[in-house]
Amino acid sequence: MRCKSKAGKSDLYRSHLSHGPITLGLACFLTMLKRIWGQILVLSGASGFADLRSNRFAPDAAKRYRRDQIIATLDQTQLLLLGNTLFAPILAFQALPSGSLPLLIGWTLVMVFGSWALFFWTRPLYRCTGEVADLTRMKQRAFIDGSFWWMGMACVYPHATGDAKALVAIIVTGAVALGTFGYSRSPGPGMIYLAMTCLGSGAVALVTGLTVGTPSDILVPFLSIFAFVALSKSVLDRGRAILQSFENVEKLSEKSEVVELLLKDYEAQATEWIWQADAAGRLTAAPDLIVQLLGGTDATQDDQPLLYRVGEKISPESRADFDRMTEAVRNREEFYDIVLAFPDRELDGLRWVVVKGRPQFDNEVFQGFRGIVADTTQAVEAERQVQYLAAFDNLTGLLNRNSIQKRLGDLDHQKDRVTAFLIDLDGFKQINDSYGHDIGDALLRAASDRLQALATDGAWAARLAGDEFLVVVPDTQTTCSKSRLMFGHEICDRLSEPFQLADFELQISASVGMARFPSDTDKGQDLLSLCDLALYDAKDGGRDRAHAFDQAMLDQLNRRIAVIERLKAAVRDQKIQLHYQPQHRLSDGCLIGFEALARWNDEDLGTVGPDVFIPIAEQTGLIVDLGEQILRNACTDAHGWFKMLGSEAPVVSVNISPVQFARTDVSRSIANVLAETGLPAQLLEIEVTEGVLISEKSRVATTLTELSTMGVSIALDDFGTGYSSLSYLKALPLNRLKIDRSFISDLAKDTESPIVSTVIQLGHNLNLQVIAEGVETDTQVDRLIESGCDEGQGYYYGRPMPLAEVNTYVAGCAATSRAGKTG
């Protein structure tokens, strides 16, 4: 029964095999393939197959990657298709003795004609763009191609015996090898082909071994699986290598594109390039800019030497550098810093280049020159602009101060004779402020044009600063000062003529200071200072005139410098003394106060009047410290009188300069001094002039109000000599008006003085006390009393006295006052 059973089972397999070996093989193969393919899908991630997909690239790169795979695979599978047509008949021949002839012939025809059909079907893929569908067609080709071989294995292998079966295995192995090589550039189709051939053939051998074969046939499937794994790894490894190569090429391409863009951008913006010339001097390499400057493409295509073309095109002003380069080229020596200028239509001017070159030798054989050429146009123009600005005024085009001072410094007193005219435009500031800076600049240009028209025959014209100009005219041995002063007046007349600027007709005047070289000074650099002294004298004399320098001006300047230096020391050492001039009530002659007056007796300069050192102190700023010293000393002295006389003590009047109002907090300073000295505020009077009120009226008014609130009296000094604005009298907290001495002196000549009477009446109407300065005679006293004046100050009552005399004077007045009350 057991044998029968076995025999029956064997017959059953033989029966199936004889009726449908392909069907049986296909059933077994599909079952095995399903299981193996499932494991392949599970292991694909671990094997790295997923990493080979094209979706890791950008769309364009992915297309290129797929197209490269397809075309390379098409090229390599041509040999496989040829092998199909050769090995198919041989494989079918091995099964003829026991196989089905129609089946074998049919498979052979399908294999041969199918391979050629595949060839022509996939031939258009050479023109593909690398779409996913193109790669799908390649996978379909691999599937069909592999299917041919495992079906051939199914038709032949079960019927082959002995050596024929070994030959079949060898042929199939060759087909696998050829397919592995053919599809190795495309991992997807390659894996499909290997699966169909290796696993399909192994399945056929397994079925054969289990049915009609020998135990050795059972070994073939395991060998097939091993071959599949080994060859799959090879396909995957080569796929990774191809992928890595493609990625490297893509990265290199991207870098190349970036580098190319950078190079193009550099070439577009670069200012330095390489040039080269051969041994004959012909230009072989140069940037486009240089080629164009040399005459276009002919510069590198004809046989003319480079030096010939450069010499033909350069501007004459670079001829010296060109000659230096020519000498170096002839001697085959290195040259550098050759600056050449070429006319350039694009710039509508000159294009400047700097050239460096070095001779090239090969085994001591001269090959030509190679070097660097740089576009230095901007640098040269910038340097020229700097040089221009260093020597010329940018607004007017005249020489500037630096340039004129250098020229004056270069004057030689043994051979040069010139007259310099320093010109200042009178009223320019008002025009500039009223009409705007554009009109002001236009006026300066127009004035400079007139000066240039006058400055002929080698004369220089310069703008020093603002509205100040200088004209230097050459002299001869016979040129006299009188004729040159007439030229100065001509400058004044010419600049006084109206200027038509835009829609405005403007008129100014000019003040001119003149000095001569070497008659006034033998140092050219001092000429400007001497002109300045003469100009100051011209402006002080009323403007619109020309004054010549004389030695008295320099003596006055030196005296002023000496006064400034000694005044600094005197203020520092507090050597400015106070004298006091008494002030009396006119009706009864009673002493009411003293005006503090500064006096300075210097050990080197002697006595220096306040009309000299006070203006200098204001101009130099020394008045701030000096004014505070005077205020403190006056309050200290007045406190002594207060201790002597109590409430009947005289008031002390102290002048406050406009500079003090501008630079210090006057009210706080006075409050501090009163607190330090202990002087009651009602015994201090502050005198201000109308000049204090001109600039910062609101600020000064606030300060005076604060002082009045403290109890300090406010007196308006020199009323009637300035603007005499009645708004001052109404708006300010004043207590007294002081009539200037110039009006009081007229009382001795005229029986009546309308001005004095008017001022007195005006003061009384405003509830102000009125004091007259410069009272010297009985007649003046009588007439002031008749006019209703309240108080007087002058030599009639006493000259300014030092403190010791003042104390005696105060004591005497106090005794007289007590005697009068007793009597």
Side-chain angles (χ1 to χ4, degrees):
M1 292 294 293
R2 182 178 298 173
C3 292
K4 184 178 180 180
S5 175
K6 290 183 178 178
K9 185 177 181 180
S10 176
D11 292 341
L12 179 64
Y13 280 112
R14 287 192 182 95
S15 175
H16 283 294
L17 185 62
S18 61
H19 287 88
I22 297 177
T23 303
L24 177 62
L26 180 61
C28 295
F29 168 73
L30 290 176
T31 301
M32 178 180 291
L33 184 61
K34 182 178 180 181
R35 294 176 181 176
I36 294 176
W37 190 252
Q39 296 299 319
I40 291 174
L41 293 178
V42 172
L43 297 176
S44 63
S47 66
F49 181 74
D51 296 338
L52 302 177
R53 296 174 182 171
S54 59
N55 58 6
R56 64 185 293 172
F57 299 115
D60 292 341
K63 289 182 180 180
R64 289 196 298 273
Y65 176 56
R66 290 192 291 265
R67 186 175 183 278
D68 290 347
Q69 288 183 354
I70 292 170
I71 293 176
T73 302
L74 288 175
D75 291 339
Q76 293 182 168
T77 53
Q78 304 304 320
L79 182 62
L80 176 62
L81 294 179
L82 178 63
N84 289 350
T85 60
L86 293 176
F87 293 137
I90 297 174
L91 188 62
F93 180 76
Q94 303 305 317
L96 283 178
S98 58
S100 171
L101 182 63
L103 182 63
L104 292 175
I105 293 174
W107 174 79
T108 302
L109 294 176
V110 168
M111 188 70 167
V112 173
F113 290 107
S115 296
W116 284 104
L118 287 176
F119 175 79
F120 289 108
W121 178 54
T122 56
R123 186 74 179 176
L125 287 177
Y126 274 108
R127 299 186 298 274
C128 73
T129 59
E131 301 291 341
V132 176
D134 298 329
L135 187 60
T136 300
R137 290 177 64 186
M138 184 57 65
K139 291 177 181 178
Q140 293 170 351
R141 173 183 175 172
F143 178 82
I144 296 172
D145 201 1
S147 298
F148 284 162
W149 281 107
W150 77 259
M151 286 189 295
M153 184 75 171
C155 292
V156 175
Y157 190 80
H159 304 287
T161 59
D163 294 339
K165 184 174 290 187
L167 183 60
V168 169
I170 291 172
I171 293 174
V172 172
T173 301
V176 171
L178 285 175
T180 302
F181 170 77
Y183 289 103
S184 62
R185 295 295 299 271
S186 184
M191 294 291 291
I192 292 175
Y193 181 82
L194 285 175
M196 300 304 294
T197 53
C198 291
L199 300 181
S201 298
V204 171
L206 178 62
V207 171
T208 301
L210 293 175
T211 55
V212 298
T214 64
S216 60
D217 293 326
I218 304 300
L219 183 62
V220 174
F222 295 100
L223 294 176
S224 299
I225 293 173
F226 178 78
F228 173 74
V229 173
L231 293 175
S232 295
K233 183 178 184 303
S234 176
V235 170
L236 292 176
D237 288 343
R238 185 164 190 199
R240 289 193 193 92
I242 294 172
L243 175 67
Q244 186 63 47
S245 176
F246 182 83
E247 284 183 326
N248 292 339
V249 171
E250 285 296 306
K251 292 179 180 178
L252 183 60
S253 177
E254 290 178 3
K255 292 181 179 179
S256 299
E257 291 177 0
V258 172
V259 171
E260 185 177 359
L261 290 174
L262 291 175
L263 286 175
K264 289 182 178 179
D265 184 64
Y266 173 78
E267 290 176 357
Q269 302 182 25
T271 57
E272 292 188 359
W273 306 274
I274 295 175
W275 67 272
Q276 188 168 338
D278 60 18
R282 294 184 295 266
L283 188 65
T284 58
D288 293 340
L289 173 65
I290 301 303
V291 171
Q292 294 302 320
L293 292 177
L294 293 178
T297 55
D298 292 343
T300 56
Q301 294 178 357
D302 61 14
D303 293 332
Q304 291 289 354
L306 172 62
L307 287 177
Y308 174 80
R309 283 202 167 271
V310 172
E312 188 180 46
K313 298 295 183 180
I314 61 170
S315 174
E317 54 191 297
S318 56
R319 179 61 60 179
D321 275 23
F322 172 73
D323 293 340
R324 187 158 59 89
M325 182 178 72
T326 301
E327 185 68 19
V329 170
R330 288 174 179 171
N331 296 331
R332 297 180 180 177
E333 298 174 346
E334 182 180 1
F335 58 86
Y336 52 89
D337 293 340
I338 303 296
V339 181
L340 304 176
F342 294 87
D344 190 340
R345 293 181 180 178
E346 182 179 344
L347 289 180
D348 193 21
L350 294 178
R351 174 83 68 174
W352 294 85
V353 298
V354 60
V355 185
K356 301 177 183 178
R358 177 179 294 179
Q360 304 296 307
F361 295 92
D362 185 8
N363 293 327
E364 299 184 355
V365 177
F366 177 65
Q367 301 296 318
F369 272 85
R370 182 183 301 158
I372 298 292
V373 58
D375 183 358
T376 60
T377 304
Q378 291 184 350
V380 171
E381 291 179 350
E383 182 180 358
R384 288 190 164 190
Q385 181 67 12
V386 170
Q387 292 176 350
Y388 176 83
L389 294 177
F392 295 91
D393 175 59
N394 193 41
L395 177 64
T396 62
L398 302 179
L399 297 171
N400 60 19
R401 177 181 286 273
N402 292 333
S403 182
I404 204 68
Q405 285 181 331
K406 184 179 184 305
R407 294 194 181 196
L408 293 176
D410 292 339
L411 291 176
D412 187 345
H413 69 278
Q414 293 183 346
K415 62 180 181 180
D416 293 323
R417 285 176 172 77
V418 299
T419 300
F421 300 88
L422 183 61
I423 303 123
D424 184 81
L425 303 183
D426 303 325
F428 172 76
K429 184 179 185 303
Q430 289 80 356
I431 290 178
N432 203 41
D433 293 342
S434 301
Y435 293 88
H437 292 288
D438 291 341
I439 294 297
D441 290 346
L443 178 59
L444 291 175
R445 286 192 292 267
S448 70
D449 291 341
R450 293 186 183 183
L451 290 176
Q452 281 184 306
L454 292 171
T456 58
D457 299 330
W460 313 332
R463 179 186 176 216
L464 303 183
D467 60 344
E468 197 171 69
F469 297 86
L470 183 75
V471 174
V472 180
V473 180
D475 292 338
T476 64
Q477 293 279 4
T478 59
T479 303
C480 64
S481 296
K482 184 177 181 180
S483 63
R484 282 298 177 231
L485 190 57
M486 291 178 62
F487 181 74
H489 292 307
E490 184 180 353
I491 293 175
C492 292
D493 294 340
R494 187 72 180 92
L495 293 178
S496 297
E497 296 175 4
F499 291 88
Q500 187 66 43
L501 302 174
D503 297 331
F504 307 105
E505 183 177 272
L506 305 177
Q507 189 164 10
I508 59 173
S509 63
S511 299
V512 178
M514 181 190 89
R516 306 189 67 196
F517 177 89
S519 58
D520 291 330
T521 177
D522 59 358
K523 296 180 180 179
Q525 291 181 334
D526 293 341
L527 197 59
L528 195 56
S529 299
L530 301 185
C531 287
D532 196 41
L533 291 175
L535 175 63
Y536 179 81
D537 191 62
K539 296 176 81 68
D540 191 53
R543 302 173 184 265
D544 193 19
R545 62 192 64 201
H547 280 195
F549 168 80
D550 61 47
Q551 190 61 38
M553 297 177 184
L554 186 57
D555 295 340
Q556 184 179 4
L557 174 63
N558 293 333
R559 167 78 176 179
R560 176 182 172 83
I561 294 173
V563 169
I564 292 174
E565 295 303 315
R566 295 299 301 169
L567 182 60
K568 291 178 182 178
V571 172
R572 182 184 66 244
D573 300 334
Q574 297 190 20
K575 290 186 176 181
I576 305 297
Q577 303 297 320
L578 284 184
H579 284 206
Y580 298 93
Q581 188 171 32
Q583 299 172 337
H584 287 257
R585 193 162 45 236
L586 292 176
S587 60
D588 57 8
C590 181
L591 176 67
I592 61 169
F594 288 95
E595 180 179 2
L597 302 172
R599 295 293 184 264
W600 179 30
N601 187 22
D602 186 76
E603 57 186 14
D604 294 334
L605 302 176
T607 300
V608 183
D611 59 325
V612 174
F613 72 82
I614 292 297
I616 291 177
E618 290 180 330
Q619 293 164 8
T620 58
L622 291 171
I623 193 65
V624 174
D625 292 336
L626 178 57
E628 188 164 346
Q629 290 177 19
I630 291 174
L631 176 65
R632 180 172 283 102
N633 292 337
C635 289
T636 301
D637 295 342
H639 185 262
W641 308 331
F642 171 68
K643 290 194 297 183
M644 184 187 306
L645 301 177
S647 60
E648 296 182 356
V651 174
V652 64
S653 296
V654 180
N655 286 278
I656 300 296
S657 166
V659 178
Q660 290 176 266
F661 276 96
R663 299 191 182 184
T664 62
D665 187 345
V666 173
S667 59
R668 176 179 296 181
S669 177
I670 291 175
N672 291 337
V673 169
L674 290 175
E676 292 173 12
T677 60
L679 180 68
Q682 61 269 21
L683 295 181
L684 174 64
E685 181 179 72
I686 296 301
E687 293 189 14
V688 297
T689 61
E690 290 175 286
V692 174
L693 309 172
I694 294 175
S695 57
E696 300 183 11
K697 179 180 177 181
S698 59
R699 179 184 174 188
V700 172
T702 301
T703 300
L704 295 181
T705 301
E706 292 173 354
L707 293 176
S708 181
T709 302
M710 291 183 211
V712 176
S713 299
I714 311 296
L716 184 59
D717 194 14
D718 299 333
F719 183 76
T721 60
Y723 293 95
S724 301
S725 174
L726 298 182
S727 63
Y728 298 158
L729 302 180
K730 181 179 178 181
L732 300 178
L734 300 176
N735 302 102
R736 283 207 295 183
L737 285 183
K738 298 189 74 173
I739 304 176
D740 188 69
R741 67 179 66 248
S742 61
F743 300 115
I744 304 304
S745 63
D746 294 336
L747 290 176
K749 305 173 184 177
D750 301 327
T751 57
E752 295 182 2
S753 177
I755 294 178
V756 172
S757 301
T758 301
V759 171
I760 294 171
Q761 185 178 358
L762 176 61
H764 288 166
N765 289 338
L766 296 172
N767 295 320
L768 303 177
Q769 293 291 106
V770 181
I771 181 172
E773 294 184 300
V775 179
E776 297 181 355
T777 65
D778 291 330
T779 303
Q780 291 173 337
V781 173
D782 293 340
R783 291 182 178 175
L784 287 171
I785 292 174
E786 292 174 1
S787 300
C789 185
D790 302 300
E791 299 151 358
Q793 173 184 342
Y795 290 171
Y796 180 83
Y797 297 103
R799 294 176 177 273
M801 299 172 285
L803 181 60
E805 295 182 17
V806 171
N807 289 337
T808 302
Y809 188 87
V810 170
C813 290
T816 302
S817 177
R818 285 193 297 270
K821 292 179 180 180
T822 303

